[in-house]
Amino acid sequence: MLYLELAKIYESLEKTSKRLEKTFILSKFFKKISKKEARDLAYLAKGKIFADWNEEVVGVSTQLTIKAISKATGISEEKIVKDWRKIGDLGKVAESSIEKKKQKTLLSGRLTTQKVIDNLRKATKLEGSGTVERKLALVAELLTVSKPIEARYVIRTLLEELRIGVAEGTIRDAIVWAAFDKKLDITYNKKKNDISLDEKQREEYNRYVDIVQGAYDRSNDFGLVLEAALEGEKELQKIKLSPERPVKVELCLKVDSISEGFKRVGTPAEIELKYDGFRMLIHKFKGKITIYTRRLENVTKQFPEVVEYVKNQIKGENFILDSEAVGFNPKNKEYRPFQEISQRIKRKYEIDKLKKELPVEVNIFDCIYYNNRDLIKTPFRERRRLIEKIIKEIPWKLKLAERVVTDNEDKAEKFYKEALKRKMEGIIMKNLNSFYQPGSRVGTWVKFKPVQEPFELAIVGAEWGTGKRGGWLSSFIVACRHEGHILEIGKVGTGVKEKSEQGLSFGELTKILKPLIIGEKGRTVKIKPKIIVEVGYQEIQKSPTYKSGFALRFPRIIKLRHDKGIDDVHSLTEIKKRYTSQK
Ligand code: AMP
């Protein structure tokens, strides 16, 4: 297919904010593509070149992209950077640069989707010397034959920021409309932005949505799902969970009290420690152990000791286990917060040293595939029983998540208090009869953890945003007070809204902060400390990054405090006090 055709689809998707209209546009597109192309085009529709579970990345930096645009258009890198700062979207910059280019090639407009996929896939495979130049050449080659609008989307795909507002649910629905429209008789009324289905049709529609969603949950591969859907319902049912590829993990809803937790998950409930570590999905397939994070990154190489524990301590031909790995201090055997061991996920060298200094204990809490059997629809209590049977526990290496099963609030409260004493983040309450729900927060698992009073902090710096946030200050450096000085304690963007109707917006904050800018370096600006914001957070941590020596975990701006001045800002002493009490 010509890439131009796809670029036009992207553009019409980008132009509308209506989800139903997006679904309609995409479904029309899916309906007319050939089966041969279905897989790759489904990836491209999501702004990807592989299935979601595939971890290969194109690995082209913005710097290299700028070079490629410059190479393909003859426009200087400085000019491109300048435009980028103004517009905040390299895709649009590439588009206007191609527009300005004097010499058009005869091939412009002949770019195919296959060529885009081929070049970008080639880039993922490159390694060794000359990689950067070869990547540059692959990207520049695409841009040289691109029409302006094609350049916009080639660049965005490459940078993994398609910005057409197509979420996973939209792709899923578009597949339903495309594959089952004859059975469902869907007609989209653009004026009313409506698909009028009667109750019976709606029921049938939801059934197909569940089938497509189920196939996606089991495979994490919209390409595979679209291909199968175009063949029919039976093919979709044939897509099975496989320990060969990672699955999206089930997520938790937050509750504000234990009684609310019981209301959500029912009684009796399983109450587990909420370990302050990171999610580990453990797969065994054809004798090989693979470990994935919740974002489906393969981290097997980083955790050779876990591979050993799994080999030695867990019975089974093949399986998928869900767990939380938590760090501990090897000397005093105390759990430590995630922050202190987070480098183990990313660092790929000195593994032996890291594994000794920053050991982890794996706490298994679920099994969703075992010896060729998909257990997603097996009730949780049976899945728990299974892990109890197949795992040989060794403390500080591999264990079952600690738990109580109860319907008694006092007992649950006691377990929770004990959890906090042992440096856990809180508890997770689970419905004993529930199925495993990949990728969703449906409330069969809920988390309960202590809330912290917010801090009042001064904004002392910010960064100019990119993309949708271009032209706005979008990430704010906040600071506390210490003996007449202002000391940075973190960076926060969460909590600020894109639209002013939704609350404090980036536009509003930018307007207030712009006149206070006292220095600029690259995209970062220094701001006179006059604006005070209330900042919520989950935890205070020690941090060498900021002058205060502390950082806030999961900070979010709650509101502007026009009523407060610099003297009202929290002091370092108060922050230290709260840090100690949280321990
Ligand atoms: P949150 O990241 O605050 O949404 O909390 C959910 C996360 O808690 C999960 O994704 C897991 O990584 C983690 N977690 C820790 N202990 C457990 C447990 N016993 N069961 C499920 N998730 C857990």
Side-chain angles (χ1 to χ4, degrees):
M1 173 182 289
L2 284 179
Y3 192 68
L4 189 59
E5 213 176 309
L6 178 64
K8 284 186 178 151
I9 300 284
Y10 286 143
E11 191 180 36
S12 46
L13 289 166
E14 193 175 344
K15 271 193 186 140
T16 174
S17 57
K18 293 183 190 128
R19 179 166 161 191
L20 276 183
E21 192 176 353
K22 284 182 196 277
T23 314
F24 176 63
I25 296 168
L26 207 51
S27 70
K28 261 198 342 197
F29 174 66
F30 286 159
K31 227 187 278 183
K32 74 172 191 219
I33 61 185
S34 71
K35 254 177 241 145
K36 211 172 111 234
E37 288 185 301
R39 216 182 251 228
D40 284 348
L41 289 177
Y43 301 149
L44 284 176
K46 205 163 176 269
K48 303 203 118 193
I49 51 168
F50 293 115
D52 288 338
W53 60 269
N54 190 317
E55 57 212 316
E56 286 170 275
V57 288
V58 182
V60 171
S61 64
T62 47
Q63 281 319 315
L64 195 62
T65 309
I66 290 165
K67 278 202 168 67
I69 301 173
S70 172
K71 186 170 173 183
T73 59
I75 295 172
S76 75
E77 287 179 38
E78 291 72 41
K79 170 81 174 91
I80 292 168
V81 172
K82 207 168 141 209
D83 287 353
W84 178 35
R85 279 194 51 188
K86 207 159 64 200
I87 309 177
D89 170 4
L90 270 177
K92 282 227 164 117
V93 175
E95 179 173 12
S96 65
S97 304
I98 301 259
E99 195 97 57
K100 281 184 224 137
K101 185 171 81 161
K102 297 215 173 58
Q103 271 189 335
K104 302 259 181 290
T105 67
L106 290 170
L107 291 173
S108 124
R110 305 298 306 161
L111 184 62
T112 59
T113 52
Q114 194 59 50
K115 177 73 183 163
V116 174
I117 286 247
D118 286 350
N119 275 29
L120 297 187
R121 280 187 186 155
K122 262 186 217 158
T124 64
K125 302 274 183 302
L126 293 176
E127 47 186 306
S129 72
T131 297
V132 174
E133 288 72 27
R134 277 148 71 207
K135 280 191 182 172
L136 179 68
L138 285 168
V139 178
E141 187 195 8
L142 294 178
L143 290 178
T144 315
V145 295
S146 285
K147 278 188 179 296
I149 185 176
E150 292 177 313
R152 185 199 306 175
Y153 296 108
V154 165
I155 293 300
R156 289 188 186 169
T157 304
L158 165 85
L159 294 173
E160 299 188 337
E161 279 184 87
L162 198 53
R163 304 172 188 206
I164 55 170
V166 170
E168 227 162 74
T170 311
I171 300 191
R172 176 202 60 207
D173 291 355
I175 294 178
V176 172
W177 293 24
F180 304 109
D181 70 322
K182 292 217 177 70
K183 295 200 168 118
L184 290 166
D185 197 19
I186 294 173
T187 33
Y188 171 65
N189 183 328
K190 190 169 168 184
K191 248 198 197 139
K192 288 195 194 148
N193 185 36
D194 182 35
I195 44 166
S196 36
L197 298 177
D198 61 32
E199 209 170 306
K200 213 160 153 243
Q201 284 170 310
R202 173 68 57 189
E203 231 171 70
E204 192 62 2
Y205 177 78
N206 289 341
R207 192 177 76 81
Y208 282 115
V209 167
D210 284 347
I211 292 171
V212 172
Q213 181 71 45
Y216 176 64
D217 288 341
R218 295 190 296 273
S219 64
N220 264 305
D221 187 338
F222 267 131
L224 196 67
V225 174
L226 177 62
E227 206 175 53
L230 295 175
E231 293 277 339
E233 191 179 328
K234 271 207 186 111
E235 286 304 306
L236 279 173
Q237 306 284 17
K238 278 191 205 156
I239 297 180
K240 295 271 179 260
L241 193 68
S242 163
E244 195 180 357
R245 47 178 185 244
V247 205
K248 283 218 192 94
V249 296
E250 169 150 2
L251 300 168
C252 308
L253 281 179
K254 180 173 151 274
V255 289
D256 294 324
S257 66
I258 288 175
S259 65
E260 188 193 343
F262 275 126
K263 259 188 219 127
R264 283 253 176 211
V265 303
T267 47
E270 164 142 338
I271 303 178
E272 294 176 4
L273 296 180
K274 184 177 193 308
Y275 299 91
D276 184 12
F278 57 94
R279 198 80 172 249
M280 247 187 197
L281 271 169
I282 301 169
H283 289 235
K284 182 170 178 185
F285 180 67
K286 293 194 176 157
K288 204 170 118 204
I289 315 281
T290 315
I291 303 168
Y292 297 97
T293 65
R294 72 186 264 179
R295 297 177 56 217
L296 316 183
E297 292 156 311
N298 184 335
V299 290
T300 317
K301 280 206 187 86
Q302 287 91 305
F303 296 95
E305 80 274 36
V306 175
V307 172
E308 283 309 303
Y309 304 158
V310 174
K311 268 191 193 149
N312 301 333
Q313 289 161 239
I314 307 180
K315 275 196 289 203
E317 260 304 291
N318 49 45
F319 47 71
I320 304 175
L321 300 169
D322 196 356
S323 72
E324 183 87 352
V326 58
F328 62 92
N329 181 334
K331 291 194 189 107
N332 63 8
K333 296 276 165 66
E334 268 189 12
Y335 287 121
R336 16 156 84 139
F338 167 69
Q339 209 57 30
E340 286 181 23
I341 57 141
S342 63
Q343 47 176 310
R344 283 219 57 186
I345 301 177
K346 289 263 163 334
R347 268 246 304 262
K348 303 212 168 115
Y349 52 94
E350 292 190 305
I351 305 273
D352 277 344
K353 185 165 165 254
L354 277 188
K355 135 183 140 181
K356 279 198 201 97
E357 286 168 11
L358 305 175
V360 296
E361 177 190 69
V362 181
N363 292 278
I364 310 236
F365 50 73
D366 219 318
C367 176
I368 51 181
Y369 189 94
Y370 193 72
N371 286 356
N372 305 316
R373 232 163 49 91
D374 178 342
L375 303 178
I376 284 190
K377 299 243 153 94
T378 301
F380 174 58
R381 67 170 86 232
E382 284 174 41
R383 304 200 305 269
R384 172 80 200 193
R385 223 175 278 144
L386 174 70
I387 54 177
E388 283 174 8
K389 258 195 354 224
I390 61 175
I391 294 171
K392 188 170 137 243
E393 291 185 284
I394 302 186
W396 307 109
K397 287 189 172 173
L398 185 99
K399 285 183 60 192
L400 294 159
E402 282 182 51
R403 61 141 186 192
V404 288
V405 174
T406 183
D407 57 2
N408 180 306
E409 271 188 40
D410 293 338
K411 243 181 160 175
E413 182 77 31
K414 203 167 145 234
F415 187 78
Y416 167 70
K417 292 219 166 102
E418 196 57 36
L420 296 187
K421 245 194 233 156
R422 289 173 60 196
K423 304 210 170 148
M424 299 293 147
E425 270 192 292
I427 50 173
I428 307 240
M429 303 173 74
K430 298 180 179 177
N431 178 323
L432 283 165
N433 299 317
S434 61
F435 297 160
Y436 193 91
Q437 311 267 358
S440 23
R441 282 180 209 278
V442 278
T444 52
W445 295 5
V446 299
K447 58 186 173 195
F448 176 57
K449 49 190 180 187
V451 279
Q452 303 280 0
E453 286 294 306
F455 281 129
E456 274 136 27
L457 300 169
I459 297 184
V460 296
E463 252 171 49
W464 289 107
T466 59
K468 271 203 288 190
R469 297 182 183 171
W472 289 333
L473 293 169
S474 73
S475 174
F476 308 91
I477 299 163
V478 286
C480 62
R481 202 163 43 85
H482 183 57
E483 295 170 354
H485 295 284
I486 280 286
L487 299 179
E488 292 176 4
I489 187 168
K491 214 186 232 180
V492 49
T494 311
V496 185
K497 307 288 189 284
E498 273 164 13
K499 295 189 181 133
S500 54
E501 309 89 82
Q502 295 167 335
L504 175 64
S505 67
F506 289 108
E508 190 181 345
L509 256 183
T510 305
K511 209 163 133 198
I512 300 172
L513 293 172
K514 226 170 155 182
L516 300 172
I517 293 180
I518 46 177
E520 209 153 353
K521 196 172 156 204
R523 305 181 73 84
T524 314
V525 298
K526 224 172 132 181
I527 289 170
K528 215 168 168 179
K530 279 202 170 289
I531 302 303
I532 315 302
V533 279
E534 207 170 282
V535 179
Y537 61 94
Q538 208 179 74
E539 192 191 359
I540 310 169
Q541 289 164 334
K542 287 218 156 143
S543 161
T545 316
Y546 300 108
K547 287 222 180 81
S548 61
F550 290 99
L552 302 178
R553 186 159 185 224
F554 299 129
R556 63 182 195 288
I557 294 188
I558 300 171
K559 55 172 147 4
L560 256 183
R561 295 298 303 251
H562 280 307
D563 53 326
K564 301 255 167 157
I566 191 73
D567 294 337
D568 301 314
V569 164
H570 273 94
S571 71
L572 187 60
T573 322
E574 288 165 303
I575 288 166
K576 273 187 188 150
K577 209 159 114 199
R578 210 158 316 152
Y579 172 76
T580 326
S581 74
Q582 113 192 331
K583 297 196 115 189

